[in-house]
mmCIF file of all heavy atoms in Angstrom:
data_model
loop_
_atom_site.group_PDB
_atom_site.id
_atom_site.type_symbol
_atom_site.label_atom_id
_atom_site.label_comp_id
_atom_site.label_asym_id
_atom_site.label_seq_id
_atom_site.Cartn_x
_atom_site.Cartn_y
_atom_site.Cartn_z
ATOM 1 N N LEU A 289 -3.764 -10.019 -38.135
ATOM 2 C CA LEU A 289 -4.634 -9.011 -37.593
ATOM 3 C C LEU A 289 -4.559 -8.972 -36.068
ATOM 4 O O LEU A 289 -4.589 -9.988 -35.418
ATOM 5 C CB LEU A 289 -6.128 -9.252 -38.038
ATOM 6 C CG LEU A 289 -6.455 -8.955 -39.469
ATOM 7 C CD1 LEU A 289 -7.906 -9.285 -39.722
ATOM 8 C CD2 LEU A 289 -6.157 -7.520 -39.810
ATOM 9 N N ILE A 290 -4.491 -7.807 -35.496
ATOM 10 C CA ILE A 290 -4.402 -7.649 -34.050
ATOM 11 C C ILE A 290 -5.723 -7.056 -33.555
ATOM 12 O O ILE A 290 -6.107 -5.958 -33.859
ATOM 13 C CB ILE A 290 -3.251 -6.630 -33.718
ATOM 14 C CG1 ILE A 290 -1.900 -7.214 -34.271
ATOM 15 C CG2 ILE A 290 -3.176 -6.422 -32.185
ATOM 16 C CD1 ILE A 290 -0.771 -6.203 -34.133
ATOM 17 N N PRO A 291 -6.472 -7.811 -32.761
ATOM 18 C CA PRO A 291 -7.791 -7.294 -32.248
ATOM 19 C C PRO A 291 -7.553 -6.210 -31.211
ATOM 20 O O PRO A 291 -6.668 -6.205 -30.399
ATOM 21 C CB PRO A 291 -8.385 -8.555 -31.584
ATOM 22 C CG PRO A 291 -7.227 -9.433 -31.264
ATOM 23 C CD PRO A 291 -6.174 -9.188 -32.226
ATOM 24 N N ILE A 292 -8.478 -5.240 -31.274
ATOM 25 C CA ILE A 292 -8.492 -4.163 -30.290
ATOM 26 C C ILE A 292 -9.652 -4.420 -29.304
ATOM 27 O O ILE A 292 -10.839 -4.509 -29.739
ATOM 28 C CB ILE A 292 -8.739 -2.750 -30.906
ATOM 29 C CG1 ILE A 292 -7.608 -2.495 -31.910
ATOM 30 C CG2 ILE A 292 -8.791 -1.668 -29.890
ATOM 31 C CD1 ILE A 292 -7.873 -1.154 -32.715
ATOM 32 N N LEU A 293 -9.345 -4.720 -28.080
ATOM 33 C CA LEU A 293 -10.387 -5.043 -27.111
ATOM 34 C C LEU A 293 -11.411 -3.874 -27.011
ATOM 35 O O LEU A 293 -11.063 -2.700 -27.210
ATOM 36 C CB LEU A 293 -9.754 -5.276 -25.756
ATOM 37 C CG LEU A 293 -8.809 -6.453 -25.594
ATOM 38 C CD1 LEU A 293 -8.269 -6.556 -24.152
ATOM 39 C CD2 LEU A 293 -9.542 -7.767 -25.972
ATOM 40 N N GLU A 294 -12.613 -4.227 -26.709
ATOM 41 C CA GLU A 294 -13.723 -3.217 -26.690
ATOM 42 C C GLU A 294 -13.342 -2.104 -25.691
ATOM 43 O O GLU A 294 -13.606 -0.884 -25.998
ATOM 44 C CB GLU A 294 -14.998 -3.852 -26.343
ATOM 45 C CG GLU A 294 -16.192 -2.922 -26.376
ATOM 46 C CD GLU A 294 -17.503 -3.621 -26.057
ATOM 47 O OE1 GLU A 294 -17.512 -4.865 -26.061
ATOM 48 O OE2 GLU A 294 -18.578 -2.970 -25.836
ATOM 49 N N LYS A 295 -12.855 -2.451 -24.512
ATOM 50 C CA LYS A 295 -12.557 -1.461 -23.485
ATOM 51 C C LYS A 295 -11.372 -0.578 -23.918
ATOM 52 O O LYS A 295 -11.316 0.586 -23.586
ATOM 53 C CB LYS A 295 -12.245 -2.104 -22.162
ATOM 54 C CG LYS A 295 -10.983 -2.936 -22.081
ATOM 55 C CD LYS A 295 -10.808 -3.475 -20.627
ATOM 56 C CE LYS A 295 -9.508 -4.297 -20.539
ATOM 57 N NZ LYS A 295 -9.257 -4.764 -19.180
ATOM 58 N N THR A 296 -10.415 -1.161 -24.686
ATOM 59 C CA THR A 296 -9.262 -0.397 -25.216
ATOM 60 C C THR A 296 -9.799 0.623 -26.244
ATOM 61 O O THR A 296 -9.337 1.794 -26.194
ATOM 62 C CB THR A 296 -8.203 -1.301 -25.840
ATOM 63 O OG1 THR A 296 -7.838 -2.295 -24.852
ATOM 64 C CG2 THR A 296 -7.021 -0.528 -26.272
ATOM 65 N N TRP A 297 -10.665 0.231 -27.180
ATOM 66 C CA TRP A 297 -11.191 1.116 -28.139
ATOM 67 C C TRP A 297 -12.030 2.243 -27.454
ATOM 68 O O TRP A 297 -11.939 3.406 -27.842
ATOM 69 C CB TRP A 297 -12.050 0.381 -29.177
ATOM 70 C CG TRP A 297 -12.669 1.403 -30.121
ATOM 71 C CD1 TRP A 297 -13.980 1.784 -30.136
ATOM 72 C CD2 TRP A 297 -11.997 2.024 -31.246
ATOM 73 N NE1 TRP A 297 -14.124 2.737 -31.174
ATOM 74 C CE2 TRP A 297 -12.971 2.865 -31.864
ATOM 75 C CE3 TRP A 297 -10.720 1.948 -31.757
ATOM 76 C CZ2 TRP A 297 -12.687 3.656 -32.925
ATOM 77 C CZ3 TRP A 297 -10.376 2.733 -32.883
ATOM 78 C CH2 TRP A 297 -11.371 3.553 -33.452
ATOM 79 N N LYS A 298 -12.791 1.852 -26.432
ATOM 80 C CA LYS A 298 -13.570 2.852 -25.715
ATOM 81 C C LYS A 298 -12.671 3.898 -25.082
ATOM 82 O O LYS A 298 -12.988 5.087 -25.018
ATOM 83 C CB LYS A 298 -14.468 2.154 -24.689
ATOM 84 C CG LYS A 298 -15.407 3.130 -23.961
ATOM 85 C CD LYS A 298 -16.344 2.410 -23.002
ATOM 86 C CE LYS A 298 -17.253 3.398 -22.296
ATOM 87 N NZ LYS A 298 -18.148 2.694 -21.302
ATOM 88 N N THR A 299 -11.548 3.452 -24.466
ATOM 89 C CA THR A 299 -10.609 4.381 -23.849
ATOM 90 C C THR A 299 -10.049 5.342 -24.889
ATOM 91 O O THR A 299 -9.978 6.555 -24.672
ATOM 92 C CB THR A 299 -9.452 3.610 -23.194
ATOM 93 O OG1 THR A 299 -9.965 2.783 -22.190
ATOM 94 C CG2 THR A 299 -8.404 4.575 -22.641
ATOM 95 N N TYR A 300 -9.670 4.826 -26.030
ATOM 96 C CA TYR A 300 -9.174 5.672 -27.153
ATOM 97 C C TYR A 300 -10.300 6.639 -27.628
ATOM 98 O O TYR A 300 -10.040 7.838 -27.779
ATOM 99 C CB TYR A 300 -8.726 4.865 -28.351
ATOM 100 C CG TYR A 300 -8.454 5.721 -29.526
ATOM 101 C CD1 TYR A 300 -7.314 6.528 -29.629
ATOM 102 C CD2 TYR A 300 -9.411 5.829 -30.586
ATOM 103 C CE1 TYR A 300 -7.119 7.350 -30.719
ATOM 104 C CE2 TYR A 300 -9.212 6.662 -31.649
ATOM 105 C CZ TYR A 300 -8.050 7.426 -31.700
ATOM 106 O OH TYR A 300 -7.870 8.256 -32.800
#
Side-chain angles (χ1 to χ4, degrees):
L289 287 177
I290 301 172
I292 300 175
L293 297 178
E294 185 177 347
K295 66 176 183 180
T296 304
W297 177 259
K298 185 177 180 181
T299 297
Y300 168 77

